[in-house]
Amino acid sequence: MPGRKSKLYIHLLFWILYYILEVYLDFYWSRYQFPNVEWQIRLQNTVILELGYLLVKIPLAYALLYVYERTDIRRFLTCILSVIIFIAAVLAHRFFTHYIIYPHIYGIVETLDGKQPSGFLNGLVAFNSFMDLVFMAGLIFGVEITRQKNLLKEQISKLKSEKLDQELTMLKAQINPHFLFNTLNNIYGMALKKADQTPDVILQLSKVMRYNIYDAAERYISIDKDVENIKDFLQIQKIRHHDLVIRFNENIDNPSQEISPLILIQFVENAFKHGVSETFGKSFIHIDIQLKNDVLHYHIENSKEEKPHGNSTKIGLKNIRRQLELLYPKHILTVETTNERYIITLIIDFNDTFRF
């Protein structure tokens, strides 16, 4: 329905502008053909004349558009029908000009040079009628093709946006659920021991889950909310990893800067799942978040075993990389690994980010 309204408005505007153009051109030309006629009468005749021509041109235009847009008609048949429509339009144009305009509007006989009478199908005047109709058809086809291309671009852009949303939703849904189950098991153990930290852990877990369920459903949130979620996540992990050394540095000059939720936390989750959790000795995780002049520098280092189990970390990083490609195509992500640690650095320039 919105597309039909848009088409109606565009075509209505086209015919208004086309009518004004034709009135201007014919009025300008009439002062040479009828130099002794007052301009008020010439203008009146031109206005009436072009209204009459619209009765020929509008049916021609939409008959051609109808044939052009029919996908069930073969190209050869389309050409034949277009020729027939044009011949009928030229005949109607000549009939209107020869038998109505000159004798009834101008009150004279149509002539070629001001002296010699013109026949109904004289070659020169028929060619003029043909060119007038071709000019009009070219304009309306140009307008309609441009409108359809713009509409197609909007539809493609909308489909791409919807596809991105669906893909991001699926990628976010792949975040590991083991964190929730392990935390609940730890809370259960703490409850059995009647540990004093139990209520605090439950509160922090509820905040993390609220963030993942509600805030993460938004396309963008403020970076201070995202950082707060990371802090809650780290506090819970401290309960699970008693020997864990956490260093967290934060320097944000614009807390309201928007970022896609769950991007930063995934690197931290990945560090615990494939790094800290596999470290049998003293484990550590160092996180540094810097936001200055709308440029984010995110740095994570975490401990690892010299010979980690399997290569499951590649799956998590693949997920994160795909999200970054969709959301921040010009990001810079570097992943380094040594015998003792993983090092990840992410740079996002929010000044050069596509928002969909």
Side-chain angles (χ1 to χ4, degrees), residues 91-271:
L91 292 175
H93 190 279
R94 289 299 306 130
F95 179 87
F96 182 74
T97 303
H98 189 76
Y99 292 108
I100 296 178
I101 293 174
Y102 277 90
H104 296 290
I105 296 180
Y106 293 149
I108 60 175
V109 177
E110 182 184 19
T111 60
L112 293 177
D113 55 4
K115 296 179 180 179
Q116 181 183 358
S118 171
F120 171 68
L121 283 178
N122 179 275
L124 178 61
V125 292
F127 179 76
N128 289 339
S129 295
F130 174 77
M131 292 306 298
D132 185 25
L133 296 176
V134 167
F135 175 69
M136 177 277 303
L139 289 178
I140 189 65
F141 265 78
V143 169
E144 179 59 18
I145 291 173
T146 301
R147 186 194 69 83
Q148 291 181 5
K149 284 186 176 180
N150 290 335
L151 182 62
L152 182 61
K153 286 182 180 179
E154 291 178 3
Q155 292 173 343
I156 292 174
S157 177
K158 185 178 180 181
L159 288 173
K160 285 183 177 179
S161 179
E162 291 175 353
K163 184 176 181 294
L164 288 178
D165 277 343
Q166 293 173 357
E167 187 170 354
L168 284 170
T169 300
M170 292 179 63
L171 289 169
K172 289 177 180 179
Q174 295 172 20
I175 296 173
N176 297 302
H178 82 289
F179 160 73
L180 174 62
F181 300 126
N182 288 341
T183 303
L184 289 175
N185 286 334
N186 287 327
I187 292 175
Y188 175 73
M190 294 169 63
L192 290 178
K193 298 177 181 178
K194 298 182 180 180
D196 295 335
Q197 307 102 311
T198 304
D200 293 334
V201 176
I202 294 175
L203 178 61
Q204 287 164 344
L205 178 62
S206 67
K207 289 174 65 179
V208 170
M209 297 310 299
R210 187 184 301 112
Y211 178 89
N212 279 268
I213 295 173
Y214 296 107
D215 293 337
E218 302 292 330
R219 281 189 175 182
Y220 299 95
I221 61 167
S222 61
I223 194 169
D224 61 334
K225 286 187 177 181
D226 213 40
V227 172
E228 183 180 355
N229 180 59
I230 294 175
K231 292 177 181 177
D232 291 330
F233 179 85
L234 292 174
Q235 289 298 322
I236 295 174
Q237 292 291 358
K238 284 182 179 181
I239 304 299
R240 296 180 55 207
H241 305 276
H242 301 285
D243 297 329
L244 174 64
V245 176
I246 297 178
R247 190 183 72 195
F248 187 91
N249 294 324
E250 172 190 356
N251 184 12
I252 298 176
D253 63 359
N254 181 17
S256 61
Q257 170 64 54
E258 291 188 332
I259 189 173
S260 178
L262 299 180
I263 287 291
L264 302 183
I265 188 66
Q266 291 184 68
F267 289 102
V268 183
E269 289 184 337
N270 209 53

Side-chain angles (χ1 to χ4, degrees), residues 22 36 44 62 98 114 130 180 183 195 263 271 291 307 315 326:
E22 288 293 292
N36 299 323
Q44 175 183 316
Y62 291 105
H98 189 76
F130 174 77
L180 174 62
T183 303
I263 287 291
L291 178 64
K307 296 181 180 180
I315 300 174
L326 295 173

